[in-house]
Amino acid sequence: MTAAHLGGHAALVENLYGRGLLDETWRPVWDAVPRAPFIPRLAWRQTPTACEPLTTEADRLALIHSDEPVVLQLDDGRPDGPGIATSSNSQPSMVARMLRLLAVEDGHRVLEIGTASGYVAALLSRRLGDPAVFSVEVDPGLAHHAAAVLRAMGYRPNLACSDGEWGWPDQAPFDRIIATCALREIPHALVQQLHPDGILVAPMARDFWSGAVVQLTADGTGTAAGRFQGGASYMPMRSHRAPTPLPVDTKTCRTTTAAVDPRELLTLGFALYAGTRLPRVAHGSRQSGR
């Protein structure tokens, strides 16, 4: 947790601005849209091994005002699940970086895939105006929460409860599309809903990848191209979740002792390269005692 939480929302924004993640246009937008109202009373902190409930208001505000994600939902909202995070309010620095890559300008119409808490939709509405912002959320409970908080905060973006994989074809084309959930591949429907020269920003997660952000520009012919823009860790879109891995065949697997620590190979660049060269191959890791 960063020290920014000690100064509340203002200190968090100052921290992002000081790190060069907010420019002079975005800073007043962030100043005007506090994060706290969008976080439900029931929320969790993600730890390396589990999701821990925020049991006091002090803990809740400390996490909200830090540069850390806040888990909003476990197990798709089922009460009897194993406690796996399925929706979150993303790390503020990651949100700022994604919005910078989106490169919005006055007059742009933007589609967000994954409304979740409604926070990013509020930032976009503050920047571009309600009529220019469209946001879709697959989970009815989250969609209801986001709509209620956005109304209470005075924002009226266009909202829909639907599978973001299909975008919002009735309102296309869009100048910009941003996904706030990880994609296994970029759905062609989203590319088709971009204006020529429109930009799509999305985190991706493949079997071998540790997570990466892509920034693609549409060419007007139904295709888009671009580059990876650094790492990211986002929860996958429901329809893009990886299948349950098969058990490892311990009778035929091979074990190799190497002089290089395997963790040194799992950089983003290596993961992207290996994932391309080794399709359908997944990687995993496990610490073992000596």
Side-chain angles (χ1 to χ4, degrees):
M1 190 174 296
T2 63
H5 77 276
L6 298 175
H9 175 68
L12 174 61
V13 176
E14 177 63 31
N15 176 273
L16 298 175
Y17 180 73
R19 292 160 61 187
L21 297 173
L22 301 177
D23 61 19
E24 298 298 335
T25 300
W26 275 111
R27 173 162 185 172
V29 172
W30 281 69
D31 278 330
V33 185
R35 192 184 187 197
F38 294 88
I39 307 301
R41 306 309 303 178
L42 182 60
W44 297 262
R45 174 186 290 105
Q46 178 74 68
T47 73
T49 58
C51 292
E52 298 177 348
L54 302 171
T55 57
T56 70
E57 183 64 8
D59 285 346
R60 179 177 176 273
L61 290 176
L63 185 60
I64 289 171
H65 293 146
S66 70
D67 187 24
E68 300 289 342
V70 182
V71 175
L72 309 174
Q73 183 194 69
L74 303 181
D75 307 312
D76 294 333
R78 299 191 307 273
D80 56 349
I84 297 173
T86 50
S87 183
S88 71
N89 184 279
S90 300
Q91 183 179 14
S93 58
M94 181 58 67
V95 174
R97 185 157 68 90
M98 296 265 286
L99 291 175
R100 183 175 62 183
L101 290 171
L102 200 62
V104 297
E105 299 177 6
D106 293 347
H108 278 171
R109 299 170 77 248
V110 178
L111 171 63
E112 178 195 19
I113 307 300
T115 314
S117 70
Y119 183 60
V120 174
L123 290 169
L124 289 168
S125 288
R126 185 80 181 188
R127 172 68 179 83
L128 299 170
D130 293 334
V133 178
F134 299 77
S135 185
V136 297
E137 170 58 52
V138 70
D139 186 277
L142 291 172
H144 177 78
H145 165 81
V149 177
L150 285 163
R151 285 195 302 269
M153 295 295 292
Y155 298 106
R156 298 290 190 277
N158 304 279
L159 303 175
C161 185
S162 62
D163 189 342
E165 183 174 27
W166 305 108
W168 199 329
D170 291 347
Q171 296 295 333
F174 300 98
D175 300 286
R176 301 288 188 266
I177 297 178
I178 181 171
T180 58
C181 51
L183 310 177
R184 290 180 65 79
E185 60 277 324
I186 302 298
H188 193 223
L190 298 185
V191 175
Q192 290 179 312
Q193 291 174 37
L194 277 171
H195 271 299
D197 297 322
I199 293 174
L200 182 149
V201 175
M204 299 191 69
R206 304 294 293 273
D207 294 332
F208 207 97
W209 296 1
S210 57
V213 174
V214 294
Q215 182 191 48
L216 306 179
T217 301
D219 65 4
T221 66
T223 61
R227 293 179 177 273
F228 292 105
Q229 299 287 349
S233 179
Y234 275 78
M235 295 170 194
M237 178 185 286
R238 288 191 184 180
S239 55
H240 284 214
R241 289 173 179 169
T244 302
L246 296 173
V248 175
D249 183 355
T250 57
K251 296 180 180 179
T252 59
C253 69
R254 290 176 294 174
T255 301
T256 301
T257 301
V260 178
D261 187 333
R263 290 172 295 185
E264 295 181 10
L265 298 177
L266 292 181
T267 62
L268 179 60
F270 178 79
L272 293 174
Y273 171 79
T276 301
R277 300 291 293 177
L278 302 171
R280 297 183 299 279
V281 174
H283 85 275
S285 62
R286 183 178 63 184
Q287 297 286 345
S288 60
R290 293 181 179 274

